[in-house]
Amino acid sequence: MIDLHTHTTASDGSVSPPDLIRLALQNGLEAIAITDHDTLEGADEGGPVATSLGVELIVGIELSTRFEPQLVDLIRPWVGSRRIPSIHLLGYFLADAPPAAFRSWILGHQESRRKRNIELVEKLRGFGFDITLPEVSKLGGKLTGRPHFAEFLLRKGYVKNRQEAFDLYLADTAQAAVEREEPGLLESIQMLRQNFGMPVLAHPVRLPLGDHPDGLRALMEALCAAGLQGLEVWHSEHSPEQQALYEDLAGSFGLVATGGSDFHGTHKPSIGLGTGVGGNINIPKLRLDSMRAAASAAKISS
Ligand code: AMP
Ligand code: FE
Ligand code: FE
Ligand code: ZN
C-alpha cells in the first residue's frame, strides 16, 4: 500500500517529516509522497530518514492555485455566480529533483500566504476574537495555514470543533475569507511540466463543479490541453460513487489515477495515514508504477 498525499509540520500537518516516515513504516506502507502546501521543505527533510528506513519517498507539493479567467468562463454554466475557491494541484517529482527555478517560483507563494495571514487575523479580530498572528503561528512550524487558525479558535473556545471554524469563518466562501494572490492553475500545470514535475488535480470533489460530469469533462479537456497528467481519484473525502466517477473520468482522458489520504495528523484527526477515513482508501503500489510509466512516456515524447 502507498499514500500519495500527506502533510507535515513543514506546512499544516502536525507530524514532522521524520516521524511521518516512521509512521508510514509502522502502517506497512511501501511508499509515500510528502505533498506540503507550497513548500518542498518537508519532502526535503524526509529524504534521509526514508532512505535509512527503506521507505520509498516521493518528493511532492500541493499548490494552491486559481482558475484563470478563461477557465472561469468555461465553468460558469455549471457554477453560476458562485465564488470560486482555491484549486489544489499536486506535483510529483518522480525522476528528477525540483530545479532551482521551481524552488524560487514557490517562494513567491509563501509570501502571499504571509500577507493573507495578516489580513485574516484582522478580519477575525473584527468578529471580536482575541487573536494575534504570533499566537497562531506558535501552533505550527515554518508555515502558518488555516488549520492552525482553526486549532486556535477551537482552543480559545470560539468554535465547537475545527470544521465549525472553517464553516463559519475560514473556508473560501465563509465570513472571514481572504482572497489571496495565487498562481493560475494552467500556469502551475505548465510550470510543473517544465520543471520535471507531474501535475495531478487534487481532490476533485472540492471543485466548485461538485459532481456535474459535463462540467468536469469540459474542465478536464482544458486542463489536459495545458499538460495535466493525473487526477486524484482516491481521497479521504471521496464517496465510493465519486471515486467511480473520477476513475472513469481519468480513464477517458488518459490521465493517471492517483490517490492519497491527505493526512494532516491531529489537525484532521479522523484521517489515517494510508487508510483515509474509516479505511475508505486503499491504494496499491501499482498506482505509483503507472505514474512512473506515464512520466517516462511523456519524457520520451517531449
Ligand atoms: P491554507 O493553505 O492556509 O489556505 O489552508 C488550506 C487548508 O485548510 C486545506 O489544505 C485544508 O487542509 C484546510 N481547509 C480549507 N478549506 C477547508 C474547509 N472548507 N473545510 C475543512 N478544511 C479546509
Ligand atoms: Fe492542508
Ligand atoms: Fe488540498
Ligand atoms: Zn492536502
Side-chain angles (χ1 to χ4, degrees), residues 1-3 17-34 46-58 273 285 288 292:
M1 259 181 23
I2 62 171
D3 192 333
D19 285 346
L20 185 77
I21 305 291
R22 288 184 200 105
L23 187 61
L25 187 70
Q26 265 174 34
N27 289 13
L29 299 182
E30 297 161 86
I32 65 162
I34 292 183
V49 187
T51 307
S52 72
L53 294 181
V55 175
E56 190 175 350
L57 176 68
I58 294 105
L273 183 65
K285 173 87 185 317
L288 180 57
R292 289 199 193 287

Side-chain angles (χ1 to χ4, degrees), residues 5 7 11-13 35 37 62 88 146-147 206 262-264 268:
H5 190 157
H7 296 270
S11 67
D12 57 1
T35 53
H37 297 286
E62 185 174 24
H88 287 178
R146 280 179 286 169
R206 295 219 206 132
D262 213 348
F263 179 79
H264 280 73
K268 297 205 170 174

